[in-house]
Amino acid sequence: MPGFGDIARTSFATVLLCLSGGVVAATAPAAYAAQGGNAGTVHGTVTDPSGAVIPGATAHLHNAVSGLDRTVTSDPTGQFDITNLPFNSYQLSVTASGFQRFQQAVDVRSSVAVNLTPVLRISAATSTVTVEANSGDLVENDPTFHTDVDRDLFIKVPLESQSSSLTALVTQTTPGISADSNGMAHGLGDHAQNSLSVDGQSITDQQSKVFSNQLPSNSVQSIEVISGAPPAEYGGKTSLVIVATTRSGQGVSKPTGSFSSTYGTFGTGTASFDLSYGNKNWGNFLELDGMNTGRFLDPPEFSVIHDKGNEENAFDRIDYSLSPVDSLHLNLNYSRSWFQNPNAYDNVNVQNVLAGGASAAPVFGSVGDTDQRSQIVTFNVAPTYTRVVNNNSVFNLTTYVRKDQYHYYPSNNPLADRGPENLQTSSISQARSLLNAGANANLSYVRGGHNFKAGAEYNSTFLREGDSLGVVDPFYALSSPCVDAGGNPVAGYSDPSQCAGSLSANPSYLPVLAPYDLTRAGAYYHYAGRADIKIVSLYVQDQIKKGNWTANLGIRGDLYNGLTTATQAQPRLGLGYNIKPSGTVLSISYARTLETPFNENLVLASEGCTDPVLSPLLSCTPGVATTEQPGYRNEFHAGIQQAIGKHLVASGEYIWKYTHNAFDFSVLGNTPITFPVDWHNSKIPGYALHIAVPEFRHFSAYSVMSSVAARFFPPQVAGAGATVGQTGLPFRIDHDEKFNQTTHVQYTFAHGRLIKGLWGGFNWRYDSGQVAGSAPCWNPLSHDPNSACDGTTTMVNGQPAVDLSGLTADQQFQAGFICDGQRATPGHPLPATCLASQFSSSLITIPAPGTGNNDKNPPRIAPRSLFDATVGKDNVFHADRYKVDLNLTAVNITNDYALYNFLSTFSGTHYVTPRSLTGKVTVNF
């Protein structure tokens, strides 16, 4: 019988043959440019009332909300093309000397070009035309909630994370995202359930800088972030779908580009270069950049210790028209990053065994500082073939190969990797690769009120995982043969039979770990895993517009075959109604999606608990299945858009998502080695709001805000160990956040020789704080079985007390803990127990005694407000060709001392960036 791979390839080949057959059989199309992937084209022929063409006419396309602004000139035949346009609504105006202005709304929703024939009427000599936006230009009759951002805003929004600038931009401009450390964006209550669609190529692997190197934001022309019910063409990770359109050199007849360099706090320096060049039939865009910094990742201390890193990127997009109807597009990307894993004070001057580790009297001393490092190499090759079938149809075929090669290196002396017992007991090294290879074929058809698209996708992900682990804690409970009279593990000895005197055999001792205990002359344990994850997808969708109504109809089918198999039919439905007199759009939508496991460390997470050596090191939960199971989600959205006058538009959406088999991550020690965890289900309700003030007299602003719950329900279904949900009752995952908002304002001076081109942008980001489930508090189990607190039965002189003995002095300091007015410091811990009435924190909101609850009232990171600003001056020397721009960016202006998270099950402890200043010089040519 044929295997899954044979069936998948046959299914894909059949659909591809049908689609390509339609291309061959189609009638000859008109000759104008076509764009593949996520971009569209506006083609026009400008004439006067008699039908004579008008060369040299100026065509201007604009979107007041996203900020996109393009201007082209008609050729000697009166034709113009505005290419590489993100799907959106625009206003087109066409002007020529001696003629009245022509203005028209243009809706670009497909790679099928919009073909226009602007007719310019002869103007009276004294006529004056004033064009002003109206409220109808500000709203879109689209049931899918989304946010559009064009390139001009990239520059003027101050970004905190330079090495994750794309996700940082999304976090700052899109509602519904909880900002996390290291560039991680938690969209709408999910951990990194985000996908990136780059010119038609889907990337569903994680894009945080501890997993993969991101596409450089300088190569991106615009983004559309879909946070509503995803259309049928998108699958995999769909809480946020980031649709990115890259920059193109096609039509740029004179070499155009820029060189920029920055330098700032933490010794951070960057350099970047980009060049666009081409003509009507071909184009090339090249981008190169590099960065070196002393603060690459967000560290577990506000001070920076052992946090250097560098990154290099190269991106090249090549466009070539083979004929008036055939074109090729090729994206090439190579990125490399190297960085140190940041140290805490607990990782400085580590104490461990120097000699005699298996004897009765081991010699202890300093083994140096922890020195763990990572390197990630990413390459991507993605060619796309586009054929204009006729005036109404376009065929696209995108193929791609993308690879992440991840290396994690332990300290040169592995015993220096010893951390606090509740963080790192093992030294770990890893060599892991993730290779995506696949194709996406689709046919777009636009006619009348229909915007139809059908397609097929095939993707294979080849996982290769190599891990080496060795115990480096001489007091580790599972590898210490002996315990003292109090039952505490002791260092030394190699066998329980050696325990004598006050010592006794350790009942928890696992002999299987003995050969891999590096403190007792053991060696590394080596693990190798591999898998091939195949996904075949078919989809059909149609956006139907009739009068004031817009309907999205679609269905997607996914066939997943990895370490397990699953199939899912996924309807995607939406309905919108435009109340034009009031500038209001109402919408509702529904989507069913297949939730696939994360690929990062998937094999280890699925197979590790069956390994007798790995199982205790991974803290595997008894009775939990091994292989990660795909899940499914039902999600409902209800939204409203409202234009208020001509200069304000507000959009809002209520979200409710129910997931069966919900995914999150657990972390192995204090390392970037993380594992997918599969919970029984999750419920995610919330809302997202977006308010925009389009540019008015050189001023613009926006504000995005959201409240999204992330309620997860045990039991753990599959995967490696997790440290939450042990009560069996619902709990809030650590990126649950009650409320966050970002407000951005900017202004540009347009007049005056000295100040013309001077601009400024300002950000205010408020976060109410993610869940900090590892923070201790007091709540008796008899009072609430779903207590969020540790040490729930501790009493001192009959009074409730909080047990702090499980935290080191440094961890107490990181959390800002205070007992009876005394603050913890890295070298001086608080008392082992503190009266609950005297216990507090300057960085974490601790539930009042007796009120803590994992679901209703967990400990949280304290609320914080961060203020960032950037100011700049364009064309400082008023040059005509070589224009010099200057700007200065300040992040965390008030130097707010705050946390992202504390002992998170996903990522540990991290602080926000201290105040930092960065100066930038750009030469444009």
Side-chain angles (χ1 to χ4, degrees), residues 29-366:
Y32 50 75
Q35 294 289 312
N38 303 322
T41 297
V42 172
H43 171 82
T45 302
V46 187
T47 68
D48 64 17
S50 69
V53 300
I54 303 177
T58 300
H60 176 224
L61 196 73
H62 180 64
N63 181 287
V65 178
S66 74
L68 182 140
D69 195 280
R70 303 274 188 86
T71 301
V72 297
T73 303
S74 62
D75 64 17
T77 66
Q79 298 186 69
F80 66 87
D81 289 300
I82 306 177
T83 63
N84 206 38
L85 292 171
F87 298 158
N88 213 331
S89 299
Y90 300 97
Q91 279 291 322
L92 173 72
S93 63
V94 183
T95 58
S97 178
F99 294 90
Q100 295 182 17
R101 179 189 299 266
F102 170 91
Q103 188 168 356
Q104 178 178 337
V106 181
D107 207 22
V108 179
R109 298 292 176 185
S110 171
S111 54
V112 178
V114 178
N115 194 20
L116 305 174
T117 54
V119 178
L120 305 190
R121 299 184 179 278
I122 298 175
S123 174
T126 59
S127 65
T128 301
V129 179
T130 301
V131 179
E132 192 173 52
N134 58 67
S135 61
D137 300 338
L138 303 181
V139 296
E140 296 180 68
N141 193 5
D142 186 347
T144 301
F145 190 78
H146 62 276
T147 302
D148 301 299
V149 183
D150 200 62
R151 174 149 197 85
D152 182 62
L153 197 60
F154 292 15
I155 302 170
K156 296 179 180 178
V157 173
L159 301 179
E160 179 179 357
S161 179
Q162 293 300 314
S163 57
S164 297
S165 55
L166 187 58
T167 53
L169 179 69
V170 171
T171 300
Q172 295 281 38
T173 59
T174 304
I177 298 179
S178 181
D180 206 342
S181 56
N182 300 329
M184 180 65 68
H186 296 299
L188 300 176
D190 280 306
H191 165 79
Q193 285 278 359
N194 312 327
S195 64
L196 181 64
S197 178
V198 182
D199 296 336
Q201 176 192 355
S202 179
I203 303 172
T204 59
D205 303 312
Q206 298 197 65
Q207 294 295 292
S208 165
K209 56 190 172 185
V210 295
F211 288 107
S212 175
N213 298 311
Q214 293 190 8
L215 180 73
S217 62
N218 195 37
S219 66
V220 178
Q221 176 60 48
S222 62
I223 58 173
E224 176 192 19
V225 184
I226 300 173
S227 51
E233 63 184 295
Y234 301 110
K237 310 293 188 292
T238 56
S239 278
L240 284 180
V241 180
I242 305 168
V243 183
T245 303
T246 61
R247 300 169 69 182
S248 172
Q250 190 163 2
V252 183
S253 57
K254 182 176 69 174
T256 303
S258 67
F259 172 79
S260 65
S261 180
T262 71
Y263 187 78
T265 311
F266 310 114
T268 302
T270 70
S272 66
F273 169 81
D274 64 78
L275 175 66
S276 301
Y277 184 55
N279 58 31
K280 185 175 183 179
N281 296 320
W282 70 275
N284 188 78
F285 171 79
L286 173 67
E287 194 272 347
L288 306 170
D289 67 72
M291 179 189 69
N292 188 70
T293 180
R295 193 184 188 277
F296 191 87
L297 299 180
D298 295 310
E301 309 287 354
F302 198 65
S303 301
V304 179
I305 310 172
H306 190 266
D307 198 8
K308 295 180 180 179
N310 58 66
E311 183 178 75
E312 301 82 37
N313 295 295
F315 176 85
D316 192 27
R317 170 171 167 169
I318 303 167
D319 299 279
Y320 186 73
S321 297
L322 301 171
S323 71
V325 297
D326 297 290
S327 60
L328 292 176
H329 316 271
L330 175 63
N331 285 358
L332 302 171
N333 183 214
Y334 174 84
S335 298
R336 175 193 172 276
S337 60
W338 176 94
F339 51 93
Q340 298 172 323
N341 198 46
N343 283 345
Y345 289 117
D346 281 330
N347 300 117
V348 177
N349 194 26
V350 176
Q351 302 294 303
N352 212 329
V353 173
L354 295 177
S359 70
V363 179
F364 280 80
S366 174

Side-chain angles (χ1 to χ4, degrees), residues 441-458:
N442 59 71
L443 180 67
S444 298
Y445 174 81
V446 177
R447 187 162 187 170
H450 292 271
N451 183 350
F452 175 86
K453 191 173 188 179
E457 295 181 61
Y458 176 80

Side-chain angles (χ1 to χ4, degrees), residues 617-827:
L617 298 179
L618 297 176
S619 302
C620 292
T621 304
V624 174
T626 54
T627 305
E628 302 278 346
Q629 300 287 330
Y632 61 87
R633 166 178 294 165
N634 291 301
E635 58 181 280
F636 303 86
H637 302 255
I640 182 173
Q641 291 183 69
Q642 180 64 60
I644 303 172
K646 302 175 182 178
H647 306 295
L648 180 68
V649 59
S651 304
E653 181 173 53
Y654 179 80
I655 309 116
W656 192 91
K657 300 189 292 187
Y658 177 87
T659 306
H660 181 80
N661 277 22
F663 293 103
D664 196 57
F665 260 86
S666 184
V667 64
L668 177 58
N670 190 28
T671 73
I673 312 300
T674 54
F675 306 92
V677 176
D678 199 352
W679 296 100
H680 182 270
N681 68 280
S682 71
K683 295 180 181 179
I684 300 177
Y687 66 82
L689 301 174
H690 184 284
I691 301 171
V693 178
E695 185 172 332
F696 175 65
R697 296 183 179 177
H698 315 295
F699 170 86
S700 63
Y702 70 80
S703 182
V704 295
M705 57 194 75
S706 62
S707 176
V708 182
R711 303 180 65 219
F712 279 64
F713 293 76
Q716 182 182 343
V717 176
T723 59
V724 293
Q726 303 304 317
T727 64
L729 297 170
F731 61 94
R732 301 293 176 114
I733 212 72
D734 54 12
H735 49 262
D736 174 283
E737 188 167 28
K738 289 184 176 180
F739 181 75
N740 63 59
Q741 72 86 33
T742 300
T743 298
H744 172 80
V745 297
Q746 66 183 53
Y747 183 80
T748 302
F749 291 91
H751 304 287
R753 179 173 176 80
L754 293 179
I755 62 172
K756 183 178 181 181
L758 181 67
W759 56 268
F762 177 81
N763 267 23
W764 168 35
R765 171 82 185 190
Y766 171 82
D767 287 274
S768 65
Q770 296 180 345
V771 170
S774 297
C777 52
W778 188 87
N779 193 24
L781 285 173
S782 59
H783 176 264
D784 189 341
N786 200 21
S787 171
C789 307
D790 296 328
T792 53
T793 60
T794 303
M795 304 289 287
V796 174
N797 297 325
Q799 299 184 61
V802 178
D803 182 4
L804 301 176
S805 62
L807 300 173
T808 68
D810 185 32
Q811 290 168 342
Q812 295 174 16
F813 165 73
Q814 292 169 356
F817 287 151
I818 304 169
C819 181
D820 194 22
Q822 176 187 348
R823 293 178 178 269
T825 65

Side-chain angles (χ1 to χ4, degrees), residues 393-448:
S393 307
V394 169
F395 171 76
N396 286 297
L397 173 62
T398 299
T399 59
Y400 54 87
V401 176
R402 179 181 179 275
K403 185 176 184 179
D404 283 329
Q405 181 72 52
Y406 177 86
H407 288 277
Y408 182 70
Y409 304 99
S411 301
N412 291 326
N413 180 352
L415 297 180
D417 290 340
R418 179 192 178 194
E421 185 174 354
N422 59 345
L423 282 183
Q424 189 162 349
T425 58
S426 303
S427 178
I428 306 166
S429 67
Q430 184 177 75
R432 173 174 61 84
S433 67
L434 185 156
L435 175 65
N436 292 130
N440 176 7
N442 59 71
L443 180 67
S444 298
Y445 174 81
V446 177
R447 187 162 187 170

Side-chain angles (χ1 to χ4, degrees), residues 360-378:
V363 179
F364 280 80
S366 174
V367 293
D369 298 345
T370 304
D371 183 23
Q372 299 169 344
R373 294 138 289 136
S374 296
Q375 177 183 276
I376 306 175
V377 175
T378 301

Side-chain angles (χ1 to χ4, degrees), residues 352-353 357 372 410 413-421 424-429 468-481 489-493 509-526 612-618 668:
N352 212 329
V353 173
Q372 299 169 344
N413 180 352
L415 297 180
D417 290 340
R418 179 192 178 194
E421 185 174 354
Q424 189 162 349
T425 58
S426 303
S427 178
I428 306 166
S429 67
S468 297
L469 299 92
V471 176
V472 293
D473 184 356
F475 300 97
Y476 184 47
L478 301 181
S479 64
S480 298
V490 299
Y493 305 96
Y509 176 66
L510 296 178
V512 71
L513 295 180
Y516 314 109
D517 189 336
L518 303 184
T519 71
R520 295 173 171 86
Y524 277 105
Y525 174 78
H526 300 289
V613 176
L614 293 178
S615 180
L617 298 179
L618 297 176
L668 177 58

